[in-house]
Amino acid sequence: MHALVVVAHPDPHSLTHAIASHVAEGIASTPQQPHHTPAHSAEIADLAAEGFDPRFAAADLALFRKTQAAPADVAAEHARIDRADALVLVYPIYWWSFPALLKGWIDRVFTQGWAYEDVEGGKVKKKLQRLRVHLVAVGGADQRTIARHGYFGAMKTQIDHGIFDYCGAQVVTSELLLSSDTGYPEAHLETARAIGQKVFARAS
């Protein structure tokens, strides 16, 4: 099985990138069953290095209105996700949410007609029910601050429910890795590899 690991950070030497790499290694190190089948695979989509444009522009609005086909870069992202059995997002927390680059990727790629469909009567047809999602957020606050202000719950409402549940995708993993955690930062790399090993554990 195949996973797409999306990372949104401008520094390729950052902890965020290291975590994404360890997630991918964990996925690739997990054998499929039966053993004669090909190994699990992972592709890392480095949005910053690839120069993905996060700006929702006129062409994106035309796609939403169904007056124009998907822009080439959006169609390419659709194809990448369509090839994947699981989607893993690894990102630093900026102002208690996604970085603008990753939010723009969601805005432009999770389009009507592909991720969901507005139907008569105000209903929404969820079109990504096959997709399993794993979220790995990297933050600098401590657990006490997170808990006191309800930030983790707010992020789950905004991201897990507001984005992925709306499209029918199941969020399987929702991890928050903080600089105050014991063993930081090495422990986060071990956690990331373990997350990767569990992505297809039930399918192996």
Side-chain angles (χ1 to χ4, degrees):
M1 302 185 81
H2 180 66
L4 179 64
V5 181
V6 178
V7 59
H9 196 292
D11 181 2
H13 304 294
S14 64
L15 177 60
T16 301
H17 274 270
I19 288 171
S21 294
H22 278 70
V23 170
E25 290 171 8
I27 293 168
S29 71
T30 308
Q32 290 201 68
Q33 300 291 343
H35 289 294
H36 64 266
T37 58
H40 296 301
S41 60
E43 174 189 357
I44 295 180
D46 182 348
L47 299 183
E50 293 174 3
F52 181 82
D53 187 350
R55 296 173 297 177
F56 190 92
D60 301 290
L61 185 59
L63 174 60
F64 174 77
R65 292 172 172 169
K66 300 182 179 179
T67 61
Q68 187 172 307
D73 58 346
V74 172
E77 297 304 303
H78 287 169
R80 274 212 289 206
I81 299 172
D82 286 340
R83 290 194 297 269
D85 303 289
L87 174 66
V88 185
L89 304 185
V90 184
Y91 55 94
I93 299 172
Y94 290 176
W95 294 108
W96 305 108
S97 187
F98 287 149
L101 177 58
L102 184 54
K103 179 57 166 59
W105 185 79
I106 293 289
D107 289 347
R108 296 193 61 216
V109 174
F110 281 65
T111 57
Q112 178 170 201
W114 179 81
Y116 68 94
E117 189 81 50
D118 290 334
V119 295
E120 292 182 6
K123 303 286 187 179
V124 175
K125 181 179 181 182
K126 303 180 179 188
K127 304 190 74 172
L128 293 182
Q129 293 179 335
R130 68 167 191 85
L131 192 64
R132 298 294 179 263
V133 178
H134 302 264
L135 304 173
V136 185
V138 185
D142 56 42
Q143 290 284 1
R144 183 176 297 179
T145 300
I146 297 287
R148 183 169 67 248
H149 296 288
Y151 285 132
F152 190 54
M155 289 173 63
K156 286 178 71 70
T157 298
Q158 176 192 167
I159 298 170
D160 300 32
H161 175 72
I163 297 171
F164 295 109
D165 182 63
Y166 192 84
C167 303
Q170 179 186 350
V171 176
V172 181
T173 302
S174 190
E175 289 282 347
L176 184 58
L177 306 181
L178 304 175
S179 59
S180 61
D181 293 341
T182 302
Y184 168 87
E186 290 79 8
H188 289 347
L189 302 181
E190 296 175 7
T191 298
R193 187 174 179 85
I195 290 170
Q197 290 172 336
K198 293 176 182 177
V199 166
F200 295 128
R202 293 182 180 180
S204 296

